[in-house]
């Protein structure tokens, strides 16, 4: 049973399109995150939700909008995709803020 | 200074040797520290957490934290080719935020 599952695993899309990535965790964790990993493998936090409440909103373009319908789900919607958005996006969860993470398998987004 | 700094490597060690991975951090990072392993094309996997000064051992892995000198290290004893991966150091900044280093690539030579 997958602990943190993300869909889709791969996403290839044209510039200007809108796309969503979904994440679900079945660990009962309170906190969920979105991270972006660039081509140099640097992991940068984008958003974090604790019990459906947004607690971290880093400096990302407002084309990126997270949504947490309940504490087991955290989705990421991206409007007007740009070439620079190409990266691997990881969802993660932790029991509480400041605990170690369990990561999803990642979504490789390629904007062409 | 970067908030969490690691040497990118690659660090090459022979099979059976001890691999020593180091990480330094700035004043903005404190409290809790973590080591993750990331195989190429895969997601990071938590292997160790450490919260207080000193050593913490788990199997072949030992994490060491020295808050006065602001460094945290990971020792891997009896290194195996399957340990070849990128090792990411992370620390918490404030209550909610988690800062990752850029990772050290480890190569264990058979």
């Amino acid at each position: 049973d997958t602990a943190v599952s993300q869909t889709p695993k791969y996403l290839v899309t044209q510039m200007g399109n809108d796309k969503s990535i979904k994440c679900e965790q079945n660990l009962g964790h309170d906190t969920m995150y979105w991270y972006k990993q660039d081509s140099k493998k640097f992991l940068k936090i984008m958003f974090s939700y604790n019990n459906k409440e947004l607690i971290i909103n880093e400096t990302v373009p407002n084309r990126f909008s997270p949504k947490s319908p309940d504490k087991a789900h955290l989705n990421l919607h991206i409007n007007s995709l740009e070439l620079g958005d190409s990266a691997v996006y990881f969802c993660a969860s932790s029991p509480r803020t400041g605990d170690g993470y369990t990561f999803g398998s990642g979504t490789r987004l390629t904007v062409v | 200074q970067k908030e969490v700094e690691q040497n990118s490597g690659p660090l090459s060690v022979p099979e059976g040797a001890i691999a020593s991975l180091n990480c330094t951090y700035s004043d903005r990072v404190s409290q809790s520290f973590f080591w993750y392993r990331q195989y190429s094309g895969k997601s990071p996997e938590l292997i160790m957490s450490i919260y207080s000064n000193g050593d913490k051992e788990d199997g072949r892995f030992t994490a060491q934290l020295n808050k006065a000198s602001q460094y945290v290290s990971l020792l891997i004893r009896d290194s195996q080719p399957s340990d070849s991966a990128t090792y990411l150091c992370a620390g918490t900044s404030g209550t909610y935020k988690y800062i990752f280093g850029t990772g050290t690539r480890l190569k264990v030579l058979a």
Side-chain angles (χ1 to χ4, degrees):
Chain A
D1 222 9
T2 307
V4 181
S5 58
Q6 279 179 245
T7 53
K9 196 167 170 61
Y10 300 96
L11 191 49
V12 181
T13 188
Q14 290 188 321
M15 275 197 311
N17 283 350
D18 303 339
K19 289 293 176 188
S20 291
I21 307 172
K22 296 188 174 187
C23 179
E24 176 182 1
Q25 55 98 2
N26 63 6
L27 298 166
H29 288 172
D30 284 348
T31 313
M32 295 185 74
Y33 312 83
W34 279 112
Y35 274 82
K36 179 180 180 180
Q37 189 169 48
D38 60 24
S39 56
K40 291 194 167 110
K41 306 299 182 192
F42 180 58
L43 269 166
K44 190 166 189 327
I45 190 159
M46 300 173 71
F47 303 103
S48 176
Y49 274 76
N50 187 59
N51 270 319
K52 300 194 297 172
E53 180 190 346
L54 181 66
I55 56 172
I56 295 175
N57 185 354
E58 285 295 282
T59 311
V60 296
N62 56 17
R63 299 182 293 105
F64 290 79
S65 52
K67 190 167 284 189
S68 181
D70 55 62
K71 77 172 196 175
H73 294 84
L74 179 61
N75 303 322
L76 183 66
H77 188 76
I78 317 168
N79 288 327
S80 304
L81 277 154
E82 299 177 359
L83 292 175
D85 297 332
S86 297
V88 180
Y89 292 84
F90 284 105
C91 176
S93 71
S94 64
R96 290 165 301 276
T97 57
D99 285 341
Y101 293 175
T102 301
F103 280 88
S105 56
T107 296
R108 183 174 293 277
L109 171 66
T110 304
V111 182
V112 296
Chain B
Q1 183 195 2
K2 285 183 188 171
E3 291 172 299
V4 177
E5 206 149 358
Q6 296 181 256
N7 187 320
S8 60
L11 172 68
S12 295
V13 300
E15 185 175 357
I18 295 175
S20 177
L21 303 156
N22 299 311
C23 171
T24 57
Y25 59 90
S26 72
D27 291 339
R28 290 189 58 188
V29 181
S30 63
Q31 298 176 329
S32 310
F33 296 89
F34 306 89
W35 283 99
Y36 289 81
R37 176 176 62 200
Q38 186 174 23
Y39 292 112
S40 181
K42 300 292 185 185
S43 56
E45 173 195 8
L46 178 66
I47 50 173
M48 289 287 284
S49 58
I50 186 163
Y51 303 98
S52 53
N53 275 329
D55 294 2
K56 180 181 176 184
E57 191 174 312
D58 184 0
R60 295 186 297 115
F61 298 102
T62 300
Q64 299 174 318
L65 175 58
N66 184 323
K67 290 191 176 184
S69 301
Q70 293 183 295
Y71 81 78
V72 57
S73 61
L74 179 71
L75 302 177
I76 307 174
R77 286 182 298 282
D78 189 24
S79 295
Q80 301 297 309
S82 58
D83 294 325
S84 299
T86 296
Y87 288 80
L88 301 165
C89 171
T92 51
S93 174
T95 307
Y96 302 127
K97 210 166 152 183
Y98 214 84
I99 309 290
F100 279 90
T102 50
T104 298
R105 194 155 63 97
L106 173 67
K107 290 172 108 172
V108 180
L109 308 169

